[in-house]
Amino acid sequence: MLRQIRKMHVKAIKMRWLTGGVNYSYLLSTQDKSKSWLIDPAEPLEVLPELSQAEQNSVEAVVNTHHHYDHSGGNLMVAKELERVKQGHVKVICGSKTSPAATDVPQHGQEYKLGDLLVKCIRTPCHTQDSVCYFVRDPHTGERCIFTGDTLFTAGCGRFFEGNGEEMDQALNRRILDGVGEPNWDTTKVFPGHEYTKSNVKFVRQAVYTRPGENAALDKLEHFCSRNDVTTGCFTVRDELEYNPFMRLDDPTVRDAVSDVEGCLSRAEVMNRLRKMKNAA
C-alpha cells in the first residue's frame, strides 16, 4: 500500500509488481471518505486486503480504464465481494461491455458525481478502442487529478494495440488536454495504470533529449525517478507537456529523433515512428 494524498483521497495499490506488471489500482475517495470508486482492481487477492472494512463499504463503483485483463480481470470477484460486505449494489463502469460484469458504459464527456467530486469520462481510443480516462475535480479544495490507464504514462504512452498514431495524437493532445482544460493543466495530477517512468525516461534520454540541459523538465524527472520507485500522482498534465515526446510532436528535437529534419511529416506519422522506436527499445 502506498501513501495517501490529502484532501481528495487517492490510495494507490500496487498489483503484479512481483511478476513484472507494475500495475496500479486506485481507491478514489471523497473528503470524508464516505464514498469511493475502486479503479482497475484486476487482482482481487492483492487489492482487497489493502482496503479496510470502512473503505470497502464506501465503494460505489468498480471502474475500468479499459478491458485488458490486467485492469478488468478482477471486476466480477471484487464487485461480488464488495456487495457482500456492504449489502448493496456496486456499479461496474467500463468503456465497453468487453470488460467483465460491466453495468455502465459512459459516453465521451459524460459526468458522474461521487459525493462532492465531479468525474468527467474522457474516451481515448487507441491502446484499446474502449479506453477511458477519468478527470476528477473537487470543487471545494480545488484539487484535480486524472486516471489515464494505459493511454498516458509519465513521459510515455501506451502501445497502439487497437489504434494508430492519429488516434493516439487525438487521445493525448486533444481529448485529454481539452477535457482537462488549459487552466487546469498545472494542477491536475496524473495517475497512470503502470509504473513505467524509469523505462520511459531511459528511452527519452537515449532517443530524444540525449544531453542533460537539453530539456530541463526531463532532467528533473530523471533525477526524481532515480531516487523514487513510485512516481504516480507526483506529476501534472503540464509536466507531461514539458518532457513527454508523445505530447511534443512539433518539437524540432522530437522530429529530428524520428528522422524528420525538414519537418515534413504529419503529426500522426511522427507519433507512429516514435512509438515504433519505443517498442524496439
Side-chain angles (χ1 to χ4, degrees):
M1 190 193 313
L2 307 180
R3 67 182 178 87
Q4 221 168 27
I5 307 299
R6 297 291 300 276
K7 300 179 182 176
M8 174 171 60
H9 302 279
V10 179
K11 175 186 283 187
I13 303 169
K14 293 178 178 178
M15 298 183 301
R16 305 177 74 246
W17 281 50
L18 296 179
T19 55
V22 290
N23 286 68
Y24 286 114
S25 177
Y26 297 103
L27 183 73
L28 166 70
S29 303
T30 55
Q31 176 78 17
D32 63 5
K33 300 186 181 179
S34 66
K35 300 178 186 299
S36 302
W37 275 11
L38 186 56
I39 300 170
D40 287 349
E43 302 289 347
L45 297 181
E46 294 185 78
V47 174
L48 291 174
E50 299 294 342
L51 302 179
S52 68
Q53 185 167 351
E55 288 173 330
Q56 292 188 29
N57 272 314
S58 74
V59 176
E60 296 193 340
V62 169
V63 180
N64 289 168
T65 58
H66 61 294
H67 72 261
H68 284 165
Y69 76 95
D70 61 327
H71 295 261
S72 70
N75 286 359
L76 191 58
M77 184 183 297
V78 169
K80 186 174 181 180
E81 177 61 17
L82 292 174
E83 288 183 340
R84 183 193 69 79
V85 169
K86 65 183 294 178
Q87 296 293 300
H89 178 61
V90 173
K91 292 188 291 188
V92 181
I93 301 171
C94 312
S96 76
K97 293 289 186 177
T98 306
S99 285
T103 62
D104 287 39
V105 177
Q107 298 297 311
H108 177 61
Q110 182 174 334
E111 290 200 345
Y112 287 88
K113 287 197 71 175
L114 177 63
D116 290 335
L117 302 181
L118 304 175
V119 186
K120 181 191 290 185
C121 303
I122 302 173
R123 298 191 68 99
T124 52
C126 183
H127 180 71
T128 64
Q129 287 299 304
D130 63 359
S131 291
V132 182
C133 298
Y134 300 93
F135 172 50
V136 187
R137 294 167 287 155
D138 186 331
H140 298 293
T141 66
E143 194 169 15
R144 302 171 182 87
C145 68
I146 185 168
F147 299 94
T148 56
D150 288 4
T151 294
L152 172 62
F153 297 121
T154 305
C157 71
R159 291 176 182 261
F160 308 166
F161 285 125
E162 297 180 8
N164 54 42
E166 182 175 3
E167 284 181 306
M168 186 56 82
D169 184 24
Q170 286 289 314
L172 295 178
N173 301 311
R174 291 293 302 275
R175 290 205 164 187
I176 288 178
L177 293 183
D178 291 349
V180 170
E182 186 170 359
N184 302 322
W185 294 348
D186 290 313
T187 54
T188 300
K189 297 292 182 69
V190 178
F191 290 90
H194 296 262
E195 183 56 64
Y196 288 162
T197 306
K198 286 185 180 180
S199 62
N200 287 341
V201 167
K202 181 179 179 181
F203 166 72
V204 178
R205 178 62 76 198
Q206 291 178 344
V208 185
Y209 304 111
T210 58
R211 299 183 303 276
E214 194 172 10
N215 183 307
L218 181 67
D219 296 346
K220 291 179 182 178
L221 177 62
E222 186 174 47
H223 179 80
F224 183 89
C225 70
S226 70
R227 289 161 174 75
N228 296 275
D229 290 330
V230 172
T231 65
T232 187
C234 295
F235 300 95
T236 67
V237 171
R238 175 72 72 183
D239 292 327
E240 294 303 316
L241 288 167
E242 295 296 323
Y243 53 61
N244 190 329
F246 297 95
M247 300 182 78
R248 297 175 60 83
L249 300 179
D250 292 321
D251 182 341
T253 306
V254 173
R255 287 185 172 255
D256 286 350
V258 300
S259 302
D260 183 32
V261 178
E262 300 298 324
C264 297
L265 295 179
S266 67
R267 290 175 57 90
E269 187 54 34
V270 174
M271 179 71 83
N272 277 323
R273 290 192 182 188
L274 201 57
R275 184 65 246 183
K276 287 178 182 177
M277 291 167 62
K278 180 65 171 67
N279 292 349

